[in-house]
Amino acid sequence: MFLVFNKQKIYTYAVSLVTVVVLFCVASSFNHTNQNTVQTSVTNQKRLPIYHVQTEENKVAFTMNCAWNADDIDSILETLKKNDTKITFFMVGDWIDKFPEAVKKIQEAGHEIGSHSNTHPHVNNLSYEENINEIEKSNDKIEKITGNRTKIYRAPYGEYNDTVIKAAQDKGYQTIQWNLDTLDYTGLTGNEMWNRLKDKIKPGDIILSHNGTKHTADALDMLLKNIKAKGVEVVRVSDLIYQESYTINNNGTQIKNK
């Protein structure tokens, strides 16, 4: 009886020990999996530019990229003055080299100037250092003419990846995209541009246009008047975006932290 009793106890202890070891291994595996999942989620979080701003104020930012010619700048500035409106011009460094007087006129009229790179390359193909160089060289040219450096940047072709955004952020720039496109560079008429915008405009939008196109200059007056008729103020980018204490969600919407 004594021998049987000990065998049973040994068996029971052995089963208990094996059970504890198995449970411990399962728990460790579960915790390790969870930790990896969290780390992967954080590591893979994509850096995003600002496409749109969450705001209760009835205002939108109107932006104009300058990369081609400057033939229509005087007309555009006159229209903006007539409508008592200030907008943001994103300039390529090469364009600044060719048209320094246009840059001066834009700055003296009270409009905002942002960097649109130095040579308008495909920035997704550039290294971190090359991206910084593109932004800083264009900003050097802006500062030489205006006396001021900009803190906003729009990448060429609307391209971006983590390297592009990080390069800009590390140098203190906010990268600006857009959520409404006039498609003026395709040759659309003013009415065709407005048809693209009229049912979509809402507070916090960032609108894309270009100078040097077929109809932007002659359509601008109508576009501005129609936007304002909706009770929406047209402003510069820096009058719309938050400068600090914000997050950018997965849709590229900038949200003020509470």
Side-chain angles (χ1 to χ4, degrees):
M1 289 294 295
F2 178 80
L3 183 61
V4 173
F5 175 77
N6 275 283
K7 283 184 177 180
Q8 288 176 340
K9 282 186 70 175
I10 291 170
Y11 178 80
T12 301
Y13 288 151
V15 170
S16 299
L17 180 61
V18 170
T19 302
V20 169
V21 170
V22 170
L23 289 174
F24 177 80
C25 291
V26 170
S28 296
S29 174
F30 178 78
N31 288 336
H32 180 67
T33 301
N34 278 351
Q35 286 174 356
N36 285 343
T37 301
V38 172
Q39 289 172 353
T40 301
S41 176
V42 172
T43 302
N44 290 340
Q45 185 174 359
K46 188 174 179 62
R47 295 174 185 262
L48 292 171
I50 299 170
Y51 281 84
H52 171 267
V53 178
Q54 185 182 88
T55 178
E56 294 180 0
E57 297 183 274
N58 285 327
K59 57 186 183 182
V60 299
F62 197 97
T63 69
M64 191 168 289
N65 291 357
C66 302
W68 300 315
N69 61 62
D71 298 344
D72 54 2
I73 289 297
D74 286 343
S75 172
I76 286 169
L77 290 177
E78 183 60 34
T79 298
L80 290 167
K81 181 179 179 180
K82 184 172 68 174
N83 284 275
D84 191 25
T85 300
K86 310 296 184 190
I87 69 170
T88 298
F89 291 82
F90 285 98
M91 299 178 182
V92 175
D94 289 347
W95 189 88
I96 295 170
D97 290 336
K98 294 176 185 175
F99 309 109
E101 289 303 313
V103 179
K104 276 186 188 176
K105 289 178 182 179
I106 290 168
Q107 190 257 346
E108 289 171 355
H111 300 289
E112 181 175 37
I113 296 174
S115 168
H116 193 33
S117 80
N118 189 47
T119 62
H120 209 272
H122 286 282
V123 291
N124 282 3
N125 298 330
L126 302 185
S127 68
Y128 172 83
E129 291 77 14
E130 288 169 332
N131 270 285
I132 289 178
N133 189 52
E134 279 289 328
I135 305 171
E136 294 286 71
K137 275 195 173 181
S138 68
N139 208 354
D140 290 344
K141 294 175 181 181
I142 292 169
E143 183 179 28
K144 184 177 179 180
I145 295 173
T146 69
N148 300 306
R149 294 185 75 77
T150 183
K151 283 299 179 184
I152 57 172
Y153 168 61
R154 172 171 285 163
Y157 308 105
E159 289 182 355
Y160 68 89
N161 57 26
D162 283 356
T163 301
V164 173
I165 304 298
K166 186 176 190 306
Q169 287 177 341
D170 287 352
K171 287 296 180 178
Y173 295 91
Q174 290 177 293
T175 306
I176 310 298
Q177 290 281 89
W178 62 89
N179 66 309
L180 292 180
D181 189 349
T182 61
L183 287 184
D184 53 358
Y185 59 91
T186 66
L188 294 186
T189 65
N191 285 332
E192 288 170 331
M193 292 182 217
W194 178 242
N195 285 336
R196 287 184 50 78
L197 302 178
K198 64 182 181 181
D199 296 325
K200 300 175 184 176
I201 290 177
K202 60 188 180 304
D205 285 339
I206 299 175
I207 301 170
L208 172 66
S209 70
H210 304 73
N211 88 296
T213 68
K214 188 175 181 179
H215 291 297
T216 301
D218 60 63
L220 186 58
D221 183 67
M222 179 267 289
L223 293 175
L224 294 174
K225 283 181 167 58
N226 285 356
I227 293 170
K228 291 181 179 183
K230 286 180 166 287
V232 181
E233 182 184 4
V234 179
V235 301
R236 298 168 294 195
V237 165
S238 290
D239 298 322
L240 176 68
I241 62 176
Y242 303 116
Q243 304 298 332
E244 56 186 22
S245 187
Y246 64 83
T247 56
I248 300 173
N249 71 13
N250 292 335
N251 296 317
T253 298
Q254 188 191 39
I255 302 169
K256 181 73 172 175
N257 293 340
K258 295 181 179 179

